[in-house]
Amino acid sequence: KGLEREAVILVDLDEKPDLSTTYIGASRAVLFLAVVGSDALLELLKRGPVKSAEGDGGEDANTNFRQTIKDTS
């Protein structure tokens, strides 16, 4: 769709982050994704996965996404 970027810094300080909008922002990153947010956001990202259409490879992508989350607090 042309909305991808090499690097994305996703900031969400809401104590009740929305999985859908978080996924949309995070999925724009091609090479580097930095996430700044509350503990609730970290837990939301760890919990995953985002539901995806069958056969689109989304489950593998979501698994890889969750495995690379690091808590730097």
Side-chain angles (χ1 to χ4, degrees):
K1 295 182 181 182
L3 300 174
E4 296 83 11
R5 296 291 180 249
E6 286 187 16
V8 172
I9 300 172
L10 179 67
V11 179
D12 185 348
L13 302 176
D14 194 348
E15 287 301 320
K16 294 184 179 179
D18 178 63
L19 181 57
S20 178
T21 55
T22 300
Y23 175 77
I24 290 168
S27 67
R28 303 302 184 227
V30 175
L31 297 175
F32 178 79
L33 172 64
V35 179
V36 178
S38 64
D39 289 336
L41 178 61
L42 181 61
E43 290 305 314
L44 179 70
L45 294 172
K46 284 180 180 178
R47 188 173 58 225
V50 175
K51 294 189 183 209
S52 57
E54 274 187 50
D56 72 352
E59 287 184 15
D60 290 337
N62 289 323
T63 300
N64 291 337
F65 180 71
R66 285 193 319 275
Q67 288 175 347
T68 60
I69 295 172
K70 296 179 182 174
D71 184 356
T72 59
S73 57

